[in-house]
Amino acid sequence: MSLLNAAAVRERAHRMLAIGLEDRLPNFRLHLDRMGSTIDLVLETTRKSYPSFDVPFHSRWRHFVANGDNRWATIADQTAWPDRAARARAEFDLAMVSVFLDAGAGPSWRYRDPITGSAVGRSEGLGLASLAMFTGGAFSADPREPLRVDGDVLANIGVADLERGLQVTEANPLIGIEGRADLLRRLGSLVTSRPDVFAGHDKPRPGGLFDRLAMLAESSELPAQAILTELLHELGPIWPSRLTLGGIALGDCWKHPMLITADATSGLVPLHKLSQWLAYSLIEPLQTAGVRVTDIDGLTGLAEYRNGGLFIDNGVLAFRDVDAAQHAHEVASSLVVEWRALTVALLDRVADGVRHRLGLDANSLPLAKILEGGTWAAGRVLARERRTDASPPVKVISDGTVF
């Protein structure tokens, strides 16, 4: 089977959950009696932010809003775009660069927002910083056209460039800055080497992928899974050297001893967190350009530390070895792989529970809205209550390209 799609992520995650329900996993025990209170917390958290349950999608675009000021929308609405496709290419450029800078920032890094003067950390800070770099022309080859990302500029971006834009200093360290710079360089090199994919109407740029996806749409409709499949196949070469199968890089895919199958994919657990985060973030630019994205629940929940932390901090998942919470774990460790896969499957169960309570279906309340409302925010609430630095309950050694 192919592991480069959302269906494979979901299938293997639920297989991991089934093993856990038989109490056969090496690292975690499951306590499904805690799911009711977890659903309660997700509903309570959602109502506080969205009383009418008019919840936007979980995507990078939410992090370009500060104190009610939608900064990208203001800039985009005031820009004289030649057509809707031109705006979509710019939004693809911004989303792709910003998402690839969005791995966990660590507890101490802050971005001093020059507009408000506030010190903003984590994803929100990275979002505002990357938006400021983009609108300031940091990724453009032409100062007269700042709102674009050129492949050749990305291919030559240095750590110092990112440190300047992200305000990184010895006193304001950012986890994985070298890994982030390397990922952007890899993206730039790939974009410039594949004009057939990224230069349909322009010089090679990440936003050229919009034209490719628009061509795949039938009657102006495109399934969300098709977005992810294109991302996984076209961007596969940019990921750091990890697992391959048949010469194909598998990206955010790892080994776990309990996932035994009868084919060459035995033991492999695909998760594709950043790629799915990017897929969610490309939905709105496509919609703005007139492409209707369908089957959004074809994508899965995101295997990251806020969603995963929700289940540990609320008691759905418990460490078999209580000392494991005190040690740092590699991303490739069976404990982290197990935790992330269980997170994906448990998010589906939370979504079912939330919809049941509200009397809604997946069309009216897709998983992307439950994540935003939602599970990610509830995970952060619990982290802040339980740890002074709001760190996740699992200590993960990150290189800046996964979480």
Side-chain angles (χ1 to χ4, degrees), residues 130-180:
S130 58
L131 175 63
M133 291 179 72
F134 176 76
T135 56
F139 308 110
S140 172
D142 185 350
R144 297 166 301 179
E145 194 178 348
L147 302 181
R148 61 177 293 124
V149 175
D150 285 292
D152 53 356
V153 173
L154 273 192
N156 291 288
I157 202 161
V159 171
D161 299 313
L162 290 188
E163 287 178 336
R164 186 164 50 252
L166 301 178
Q167 302 176 353
V168 176
T169 63
E170 286 188 10
N172 191 36
L174 177 67
I175 291 172
I177 186 76
E178 294 85 0
R180 293 168 212 259

Side-chain angles (χ1 to χ4, degrees), residues 249-316:
L250 299 179
D252 185 8
C253 180
W254 311 89
K255 292 184 176 179
H256 192 281
M258 298 302 292
L259 263 291
I260 306 302
T261 64
D263 61 8
T265 68
S266 185
L268 299 180
V269 183
L271 295 160
H272 305 312
K273 181 261 174 178
L274 272 181
S275 295
Q276 293 208 78
W277 178 228
L278 179 54
Y280 279 122
S281 299
L282 296 183
I283 291 173
E284 287 158 86
L286 283 162
Q287 290 177 327
T288 300
V291 177
R292 181 169 173 262
V293 179
T294 61
D295 189 24
I296 293 171
D297 266 23
L299 300 176
T300 77
L302 301 180
E304 51 80 57
Y305 62 85
R306 289 303 181 208
N307 287 321
L310 168 67
F311 297 115
I312 293 178
D313 283 336
N314 210 44
V316 177

